[in-house]
């Protein structure tokens, strides 16, 4: 990409945001920030108990991610955030107006299988249905691209870089 952008890697749980984000950051030569690290402990406890977050839980989390992205404006970075609703992405853009979104998409069965295989993550597969029900895909007026998560992490990252480069040109 010609200009260092901040890329928000978004999608439902299990799409590989935490795997693809660092790979994408390395490919672009920018730092990566794990969106889950911006959650306050109360949010993690709630999700660990199988309770979906509500918007009041999400606003401080989104603001913290937006502040990080704002601090990376002009120098680039990659951060993960589910950013499932348009209003959440709008909130992130309030902090970082030039952010681009990389929406990781995929077949529900594949995503559930990957979630079941991961160890030590606080998000149970039981919340996957609520994630898909909440998801509002990127709209035409939003700066970003969608990339399918089938294949290896390297293949997904290569598709993401190519799609972001096309967006940048």
């Amino acid at each position: 990409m010609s200009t260092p952008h901040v890329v928000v890697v978004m999608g439902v749980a299990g799409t590989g945001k935490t795997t693809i984000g660092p790979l994408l950051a390395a490919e672009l030569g920018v730092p990566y920030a794990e969106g889950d690290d911006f959650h306050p402990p109360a949010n993690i406890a709630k999700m660990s108990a199988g309770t979906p977050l509500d918007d009041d839980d999400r606003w401080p989390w989104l603001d913290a991610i937006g502040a990080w992205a704002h601090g990376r404006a002009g120098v680039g970075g990659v951060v993960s955030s589910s950013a499932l609703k348009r209003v959440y992405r709008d909130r992130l853009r309030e902090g970082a107006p030039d952010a681009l979104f990389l929406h990781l998409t995929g077949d529900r069965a594949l995503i559930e299988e990957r979630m079941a295989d991961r160890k030590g993550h606080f998000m149970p597969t039981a919340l996957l249905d609520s994630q898909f029900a909440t998801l509002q895909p990127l709209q035409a007026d939003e700066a970003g691209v969608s990339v399918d998560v089938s294949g290896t992490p390297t293949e997904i990252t290569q598709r993401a870089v190519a799609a972001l480069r096309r967006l940048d040109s």
Side-chain angles (χ1 to χ4, degrees):
M1 293 172 30
S2 60
T3 306
H5 292 282
V6 174
V7 178
V8 178
V9 181
M10 63 168 282
V12 300
T15 53
K17 296 181 294 290
T18 300
T19 300
I20 302 306
L23 292 173
L24 178 64
E27 190 72 27
L28 299 177
V30 297
Y32 171 73
E34 171 55 52
D36 288 341
D37 293 344
F38 294 91
H39 275 298
N43 283 9
I44 292 173
K46 195 171 184 179
M47 289 183 287
S48 295
T51 305
L53 299 180
D54 60 30
D55 287 349
D56 288 336
D57 299 319
R58 286 187 184 94
W59 299 135
W61 173 64
L62 292 166
D63 290 344
I65 292 171
W68 182 90
H70 178 78
R72 300 297 312 162
V75 292
V78 174
V79 62
S80 60
S81 170
S82 53
L84 298 178
K85 289 184 182 180
R86 168 70 186 249
V87 68
Y88 304 157
R89 296 187 297 273
D90 290 343
R91 185 78 170 231
L92 289 168
R93 279 188 291 267
E94 285 176 20
D98 296 327
L100 300 177
F101 289 86
L102 170 62
H103 182 185
L104 298 178
T105 64
D107 176 71
R108 189 198 183 290
L110 172 64
I111 294 167
E112 184 173 23
E113 178 183 316
R114 288 182 180 174
M115 282 183 79
D117 288 343
R118 65 187 185 181
K119 306 290 182 247
H121 196 277
F122 60 82
M123 178 69 84
T125 57
L127 292 183
L128 190 55
D129 286 335
S130 73
Q131 293 253 308
F132 272 105
T134 301
L135 177 64
Q136 297 172 342
L138 285 175
Q139 297 174 7
D141 66 333
E142 292 184 273
V145 295
S146 295
V147 172
D148 184 77
V149 297
S150 59
T152 68
T154 300
E155 291 168 340
I156 298 163
T157 302
Q158 290 170 348
R159 285 196 302 270
V161 168
L164 288 165
R165 286 194 172 130
R166 283 191 303 273
L167 183 68
D168 200 38
S169 59

